[in-house]
PDB file of all heavy atoms in Angstrom:
ATOM      1  N   VAL B  22     -26.310  -7.305  33.303  1.00  0.00           N
ATOM      2  CA  VAL B  22     -26.435  -8.694  33.732  1.00  0.00           C
ATOM      3  C   VAL B  22     -25.100  -9.395  33.529  1.00  0.00           C
ATOM      4  O   VAL B  22     -24.491  -9.284  32.459  1.00  0.00           O
ATOM      5  CB  VAL B  22     -27.530  -9.421  32.905  1.00  0.00           C
ATOM      6  CG1 VAL B  22     -27.618 -10.892  33.317  1.00  0.00           C
ATOM      7  CG2 VAL B  22     -28.871  -8.736  33.071  1.00  0.00           C
ATOM      8  N   ARG B  58     -10.210 -17.202  37.913  1.00  0.00           N
ATOM      9  CA  ARG B  58      -9.468 -16.006  37.509  1.00  0.00           C
ATOM     10  C   ARG B  58     -10.312 -14.755  37.711  1.00  0.00           C
ATOM     11  O   ARG B  58     -11.539 -14.783  37.555  1.00  0.00           O
ATOM     12  CB  ARG B  58      -9.057 -16.093  36.039  1.00  0.00           C
ATOM     13  CG  ARG B  58      -7.947 -17.106  35.755  1.00  0.00           C
ATOM     14  CD  ARG B  58      -6.606 -16.626  36.286  1.00  0.00           C
ATOM     15  NE  ARG B  58      -5.619 -17.699  36.343  1.00  0.00           N
ATOM     16  CZ  ARG B  58      -4.917 -18.134  35.301  1.00  0.00           C
ATOM     17  NH1 ARG B  58      -5.069 -17.582  34.121  1.00  0.00           N
ATOM     18  NH2 ARG B  58      -4.033 -19.106  35.449  1.00  0.00           N
ATOM     19  N   LYS B 131       0.435 -38.148  19.872  1.00  0.00           N
ATOM     20  CA  LYS B 131       1.239 -38.321  18.672  1.00  0.00           C
ATOM     21  C   LYS B 131       1.068 -39.732  18.120  1.00  0.00           C
ATOM     22  O   LYS B 131       1.243 -39.966  16.933  1.00  0.00           O
ATOM     23  CB  LYS B 131       2.699 -38.105  19.076  1.00  0.00           C
ATOM     24  CG  LYS B 131       3.573 -37.545  17.989  1.00  0.00           C
ATOM     25  CD  LYS B 131       4.915 -37.214  18.623  1.00  0.00           C
ATOM     26  CE  LYS B 131       5.994 -37.158  17.565  1.00  0.00           C
ATOM     27  NZ  LYS B 131       7.302 -36.946  18.185  1.00  0.00           N
ATOM     28  N   GLY B 149     -10.298 -23.756  23.726  1.00  0.00           N
ATOM     29  CA  GLY B 149     -11.066 -22.647  23.176  1.00  0.00           C
ATOM     30  C   GLY B 149     -11.732 -21.874  24.272  1.00  0.00           C
ATOM     31  O   GLY B 149     -11.938 -22.379  25.372  1.00  0.00           O
ATOM     32  N   ARG B 161     -23.800  -3.085  10.622  1.00  0.00           N
ATOM     33  CA  ARG B 161     -23.133  -2.520   9.466  1.00  0.00           C
ATOM     34  C   ARG B 161     -21.719  -2.077   9.884  1.00  0.00           C
ATOM     35  O   ARG B 161     -21.524  -1.543  10.965  1.00  0.00           O
ATOM     36  CB  ARG B 161     -23.917  -1.307   8.970  1.00  0.00           C
ATOM     37  CG  ARG B 161     -23.528  -0.816   7.613  1.00  0.00           C
ATOM     38  CD  ARG B 161     -24.719  -0.091   6.981  1.00  0.00           C
ATOM     39  NE  ARG B 161     -25.131   1.068   7.740  1.00  0.00           N
ATOM     40  CZ  ARG B 161     -24.516   2.249   7.684  1.00  0.00           C
ATOM     41  NH1 ARG B 161     -23.492   2.427   6.900  1.00  0.00           N
ATOM     42  NH2 ARG B 161     -24.943   3.261   8.414  1.00  0.00           N
ATOM     43  N   SER B 183       2.295  16.359  21.451  1.00  0.00           N
ATOM     44  CA  SER B 183       2.763  16.309  20.066  1.00  0.00           C
ATOM     45  C   SER B 183       1.688  16.815  19.130  1.00  0.00           C
ATOM     46  O   SER B 183       1.951  17.575  18.194  1.00  0.00           O
ATOM     47  CB  SER B 183       3.127  14.881  19.662  1.00  0.00           C
ATOM     48  OG  SER B 183       4.448  14.625  19.988  1.00  0.00           O
ATOM     49  N   ASN B 261     -20.401   0.472  19.717  1.00  0.00           N
ATOM     50  CA  ASN B 261     -20.339  -0.698  20.585  1.00  0.00           C
ATOM     51  C   ASN B 261     -20.751  -0.374  22.017  1.00  0.00           C
ATOM     52  O   ASN B 261     -21.276  -1.221  22.722  1.00  0.00           O
ATOM     53  CB  ASN B 261     -18.919  -1.273  20.641  1.00  0.00           C
ATOM     54  CG  ASN B 261     -18.495  -1.831  19.308  1.00  0.00           C
ATOM     55  OD1 ASN B 261     -18.662  -1.183  18.297  1.00  0.00           O
ATOM     56  ND2 ASN B 261     -17.964  -3.032  19.311  1.00  0.00           N
ATOM     57  N   SER B 324      -8.195  -5.085  52.737  1.00  0.00           N
ATOM     58  CA  SER B 324      -6.987  -5.522  53.427  1.00  0.00           C
ATOM     59  C   SER B 324      -5.989  -5.910  52.335  1.00  0.00           C
ATOM     60  O   SER B 324      -6.044  -7.000  51.788  1.00  0.00           O
ATOM     61  CB  SER B 324      -7.367  -6.710  54.309  1.00  0.00           C
ATOM     62  OG  SER B 324      -6.321  -7.011  55.143  1.00  0.00           O
ATOM     63  N   TYR B 335       4.217   2.891  44.813  1.00  0.00           N
ATOM     64  CA  TYR B 335       3.852   3.382  46.150  1.00  0.00           C
ATOM     65  C   TYR B 335       2.703   4.379  46.104  1.00  0.00           C
ATOM     66  O   TYR B 335       1.949   4.525  47.060  1.00  0.00           O
ATOM     67  CB  TYR B 335       5.071   3.994  46.854  1.00  0.00           C
ATOM     68  CG  TYR B 335       5.960   2.934  47.485  1.00  0.00           C
ATOM     69  CD1 TYR B 335       6.927   2.275  46.746  1.00  0.00           C
ATOM     70  CD2 TYR B 335       5.807   2.585  48.831  1.00  0.00           C
ATOM     71  CE1 TYR B 335       7.732   1.305  47.307  1.00  0.00           C
ATOM     72  CE2 TYR B 335       6.607   1.606  49.414  1.00  0.00           C
ATOM     73  CZ  TYR B 335       7.569   0.969  48.650  1.00  0.00           C
ATOM     74  OH  TYR B 335       8.345   0.008  49.213  1.00  0.00           O
ATOM     75  N   GLN B 393       8.443 -14.000  52.993  1.00  0.00           N
ATOM     76  CA  GLN B 393       9.708 -14.438  53.565  1.00  0.00           C
ATOM     77  C   GLN B 393      10.813 -13.512  53.083  1.00  0.00           C
ATOM     78  O   GLN B 393      10.731 -12.932  51.994  1.00  0.00           O
ATOM     79  CB  GLN B 393       9.983 -15.875  53.121  1.00  0.00           C
ATOM     80  CG  GLN B 393      10.893 -16.635  54.050  1.00  0.00           C
ATOM     81  CD  GLN B 393      11.060 -18.084  53.614  1.00  0.00           C
ATOM     82  OE1 GLN B 393      10.685 -18.460  52.509  1.00  0.00           O
ATOM     83  NE2 GLN B 393      11.640 -18.896  54.477  1.00  0.00           N
ATOM     84  N   GLU B 485       5.035  26.442   9.115  1.00  0.00           N
ATOM     85  CA  GLU B 485       5.595  27.492   9.947  1.00  0.00           C
ATOM     86  C   GLU B 485       5.394  27.069  11.396  1.00  0.00           C
ATOM     87  O   GLU B 485       4.257  26.918  11.845  1.00  0.00           O
ATOM     88  CB  GLU B 485       4.872  28.812   9.666  1.00  0.00           C
ATOM     89  CG  GLU B 485       5.722  30.008   9.994  1.00  0.00           C
ATOM     90  CD  GLU B 485       5.018  31.291   9.575  1.00  0.00           C
ATOM     91  OE1 GLU B 485       4.697  31.425   8.365  1.00  0.00           O
ATOM     92  OE2 GLU B 485       4.761  32.118  10.457  1.00  0.00           O
ATOM     93  N   LYS B 493       7.239  21.863  32.706  1.00  0.00           N
ATOM     94  CA  LYS B 493       7.761  21.293  33.933  1.00  0.00           C
ATOM     95  C   LYS B 493       6.629  20.474  34.562  1.00  0.00           C
ATOM     96  O   LYS B 493       5.560  20.999  34.843  1.00  0.00           O
ATOM     97  CB  LYS B 493       8.200  22.419  34.875  1.00  0.00           C
ATOM     98  CG  LYS B 493       8.961  21.936  36.085  1.00  0.00           C
ATOM     99  CD  LYS B 493       9.653  23.131  36.756  1.00  0.00           C
ATOM    100  CE  LYS B 493      10.164  22.769  38.141  1.00  0.00           C
ATOM    101  NZ  LYS B 493       9.068  22.548  39.125  1.00  0.00           N
ATOM    102  N   SER B 499       7.813   9.641  41.068  1.00  0.00           N
ATOM    103  CA  SER B 499       8.058   9.341  39.662  1.00  0.00           C
ATOM    104  C   SER B 499       8.699   7.965  39.542  1.00  0.00           C
ATOM    105  O   SER B 499       9.327   7.456  40.469  1.00  0.00           O
ATOM    106  CB  SER B 499       8.946  10.407  39.042  1.00  0.00           C
ATOM    107  OG  SER B 499      10.154  10.470  39.765  1.00  0.00           O
ATOM    108  N   THR B 548      10.393 -21.908  22.257  1.00  0.00           N
ATOM    109  CA  THR B 548       9.791 -21.874  23.587  1.00  0.00           C
ATOM    110  C   THR B 548       8.356 -21.375  23.489  1.00  0.00           C
ATOM    111  O   THR B 548       7.445 -21.919  24.110  1.00  0.00           O
ATOM    112  CB  THR B 548      10.602 -20.957  24.524  1.00  0.00           C
ATOM    113  OG1 THR B 548      11.918 -21.482  24.609  1.00  0.00           O
ATOM    114  CG2 THR B 548       9.986 -20.909  25.908  1.00  0.00           C
ATOM    115  N   ARG B 550       6.283 -21.576  20.957  1.00  0.00           N
ATOM    116  CA  ARG B 550       5.369 -22.536  20.358  1.00  0.00           C
ATOM    117  C   ARG B 550       5.168 -23.774  21.233  1.00  0.00           C
ATOM    118  O   ARG B 550       4.083 -24.351  21.255  1.00  0.00           O
ATOM    119  CB  ARG B 550       5.875 -22.927  18.967  1.00  0.00           C
ATOM    120  CG  ARG B 550       5.474 -21.906  17.933  1.00  0.00           C
ATOM    121  CD  ARG B 550       6.431 -21.812  16.767  1.00  0.00           C
ATOM    122  NE  ARG B 550       6.124 -20.643  15.943  1.00  0.00           N
ATOM    123  CZ  ARG B 550       6.495 -19.400  16.241  1.00  0.00           C
ATOM    124  NH1 ARG B 550       7.171 -19.153  17.354  1.00  0.00           N
ATOM    125  NH2 ARG B 550       6.174 -18.401  15.449  1.00  0.00           N
ATOM    126  N   GLU B 622     -36.863 -11.814 -15.061  1.00  0.00           N
ATOM    127  CA  GLU B 622     -37.275 -12.286 -13.729  1.00  0.00           C
ATOM    128  C   GLU B 622     -38.766 -12.589 -13.700  1.00  0.00           C
ATOM    129  O   GLU B 622     -39.197 -13.630 -13.209  1.00  0.00           O
ATOM    130  CB  GLU B 622     -36.965 -11.220 -12.672  1.00  0.00           C
ATOM    131  CG  GLU B 622     -35.537 -11.248 -12.181  1.00  0.00           C
ATOM    132  CD  GLU B 622     -35.269 -10.219 -11.077  1.00  0.00           C
ATOM    133  OE1 GLU B 622     -36.160  -9.368 -10.808  1.00  0.00           O
ATOM    134  OE2 GLU B 622     -34.193 -10.259 -10.511  1.00  0.00           O
ATOM    135  N   ASN B 625     -39.840 -15.926 -15.347  1.00  0.00           N
ATOM    136  CA  ASN B 625     -39.392 -17.236 -14.883  1.00  0.00           C
ATOM    137  C   ASN B 625     -38.015 -17.659 -15.393  1.00  0.00           C
ATOM    138  O   ASN B 625     -37.712 -18.846 -15.452  1.00  0.00           O
ATOM    139  CB  ASN B 625     -40.445 -18.285 -15.305  1.00  0.00           C
ATOM    140  CG  ASN B 625     -40.436 -19.468 -14.377  1.00  0.00           C
ATOM    141  OD1 ASN B 625     -40.013 -19.320 -13.216  1.00  0.00           O
ATOM    142  ND2 ASN B 625     -40.851 -20.624 -14.854  1.00  0.00           N
ATOM    143  N   LEU B 684      -6.931  -1.519 -36.359  1.00  0.00           N
ATOM    144  CA  LEU B 684      -7.629  -2.813 -36.414  1.00  0.00           C
ATOM    145  C   LEU B 684      -6.787  -3.832 -37.169  1.00  0.00           C
ATOM    146  O   LEU B 684      -6.782  -5.029 -36.815  1.00  0.00           O
ATOM    147  CB  LEU B 684      -8.997  -2.649 -37.094  1.00  0.00           C
ATOM    148  CG  LEU B 684     -10.036  -1.847 -36.296  1.00  0.00           C
ATOM    149  CD1 LEU B 684     -11.291  -1.621 -37.138  1.00  0.00           C
ATOM    150  CD2 LEU B 684     -10.404  -2.566 -34.997  1.00  0.00           C
ATOM    151  N   GLU B 744      -3.634  -0.522 -24.015  1.00  0.00           N
ATOM    152  CA  GLU B 744      -2.228  -0.804 -23.762  1.00  0.00           C
ATOM    153  C   GLU B 744      -1.405  -0.486 -25.011  1.00  0.00           C
ATOM    154  O   GLU B 744      -0.385   0.208 -24.949  1.00  0.00           O
ATOM    155  CB  GLU B 744      -2.028  -2.273 -23.365  1.00  0.00           C
ATOM    156  CG  GLU B 744      -0.556  -2.624 -23.198  1.00  0.00           C
ATOM    157  CD  GLU B 744      -0.314  -4.074 -22.779  1.00  0.00           C
ATOM    158  OE1 GLU B 744      -1.290  -4.748 -22.405  1.00  0.00           O
ATOM    159  OE2 GLU B 744       0.850  -4.502 -22.850  1.00  0.00           O
ATOM    160  N   GLY B 803     -40.385   2.526 -33.617  1.00  0.00           N
ATOM    161  CA  GLY B 803     -40.348   3.972 -33.416  1.00  0.00           C
ATOM    162  C   GLY B 803     -39.086   4.475 -32.740  1.00  0.00           C
ATOM    163  O   GLY B 803     -38.938   5.672 -32.505  1.00  0.00           O
ATOM    164  N   TYR B 842     -45.681 -15.535 -34.772  1.00  0.00           N
ATOM    165  CA  TYR B 842     -44.561 -16.378 -35.211  1.00  0.00           C
ATOM    166  C   TYR B 842     -44.069 -17.264 -34.060  1.00  0.00           C
ATOM    167  O   TYR B 842     -42.978 -17.815 -34.137  1.00  0.00           O
ATOM    168  CB  TYR B 842     -43.411 -15.517 -35.727  1.00  0.00           C
ATOM    169  CG  TYR B 842     -43.822 -14.604 -36.855  1.00  0.00           C
ATOM    170  CD1 TYR B 842     -43.963 -13.233 -36.640  1.00  0.00           C
ATOM    171  CD2 TYR B 842     -44.090 -15.131 -38.120  1.00  0.00           C
ATOM    172  CE1 TYR B 842     -44.352 -12.398 -37.665  1.00  0.00           C
ATOM    173  CE2 TYR B 842     -44.485 -14.284 -39.160  1.00  0.00           C
ATOM    174  CZ  TYR B 842     -44.618 -12.923 -38.927  1.00  0.00           C
ATOM    175  OH  TYR B 842     -45.012 -12.102 -39.946  1.00  0.00           O
ATOM    176  N   LYS B 886      -1.204 -11.607 -46.321  1.00  0.00           N
ATOM    177  CA  LYS B 886      -0.605 -10.425 -46.964  1.00  0.00           C
ATOM    178  C   LYS B 886      -0.074  -9.418 -45.961  1.00  0.00           C
ATOM    179  O   LYS B 886       0.903  -8.743 -46.218  1.00  0.00           O
ATOM    180  CB  LYS B 886      -1.658  -9.741 -47.848  1.00  0.00           C
ATOM    181  CG  LYS B 886      -1.944 -10.511 -49.118  1.00  0.00           C
ATOM    182  CD  LYS B 886      -2.926  -9.756 -49.980  1.00  0.00           C
ATOM    183  CE  LYS B 886      -3.526 -10.674 -51.041  1.00  0.00           C
ATOM    184  NZ  LYS B 886      -4.901 -10.311 -51.357  1.00  0.00           N
ATOM    185  N   THR B 897       5.156 -18.691 -36.427  1.00  0.00           N
ATOM    186  CA  THR B 897       6.272 -19.460 -36.991  1.00  0.00           C
ATOM    187  C   THR B 897       7.261 -19.894 -35.910  1.00  0.00           C
ATOM    188  O   THR B 897       8.379 -20.302 -36.214  1.00  0.00           O
ATOM    189  CB  THR B 897       7.012 -18.636 -38.069  1.00  0.00           C
ATOM    190  OG1 THR B 897       7.335 -17.355 -37.523  1.00  0.00           O
ATOM    191  CG2 THR B 897       6.131 -18.463 -39.294  1.00  0.00           C
ATOM    192  N   LEU B 921     -21.624 -36.408 -23.831  1.00  0.00           N
ATOM    193  CA  LEU B 921     -20.334 -36.518 -23.133  1.00  0.00           C
ATOM    194  C   LEU B 921     -20.166 -35.371 -22.142  1.00  0.00           C
ATOM    195  O   LEU B 921     -20.537 -34.235 -22.445  1.00  0.00           O
ATOM    196  CB  LEU B 921     -19.192 -36.469 -24.146  1.00  0.00           C
ATOM    197  CG  LEU B 921     -19.120 -37.638 -25.123  1.00  0.00           C
ATOM    198  CD1 LEU B 921     -18.142 -37.308 -26.248  1.00  0.00           C
ATOM    199  CD2 LEU B 921     -18.678 -38.909 -24.392  1.00  0.00           C
ATOM    200  N   GLN B 934      -6.025 -49.298 -16.788  1.00  0.00           N
ATOM    201  CA  GLN B 934      -5.397 -48.241 -16.009  1.00  0.00           C
ATOM    202  C   GLN B 934      -4.343 -47.532 -16.857  1.00  0.00           C
ATOM    203  O   GLN B 934      -3.898 -48.083 -17.856  1.00  0.00           O
ATOM    204  CB  GLN B 934      -4.774 -48.819 -14.735  1.00  0.00           C
ATOM    205  CG  GLN B 934      -3.760 -49.913 -15.002  1.00  0.00           C
ATOM    206  CD  GLN B 934      -3.247 -50.492 -13.691  1.00  0.00           C
ATOM    207  OE1 GLN B 934      -3.978 -50.595 -12.725  1.00  0.00           O
ATOM    208  NE2 GLN B 934      -1.982 -50.865 -13.681  1.00  0.00           N
ATOM    209  N   GLY B 969     -13.241 -39.326 -39.200  1.00  0.00           N
ATOM    210  CA  GLY B 969     -13.811 -40.647 -39.444  1.00  0.00           C
ATOM    211  C   GLY B 969     -13.230 -41.738 -38.563  1.00  0.00           C
ATOM    212  O   GLY B 969     -13.755 -42.850 -38.511  1.00  0.00           O
TER     213      GLY B 969
END
Side-chain angles (χ1 to χ4, degrees):
Chain B
V22 178
R58 288 288 165 81
K131 210 172 158 185
R161 193 154 62 80
S183 272
N261 294 48
S324 190
Y335 279 85
Q393 204 176 12
E485 205 175 302
K493 189 166 167 291
S499 58
T548 300
R550 278 151 191 80
E622 277 183 351
N625 207 25
L684 291 174
E744 176 179 348
Y842 303 107
K886 286 183 196 147
T897 51
L921 295 168
Q934 57 183 35

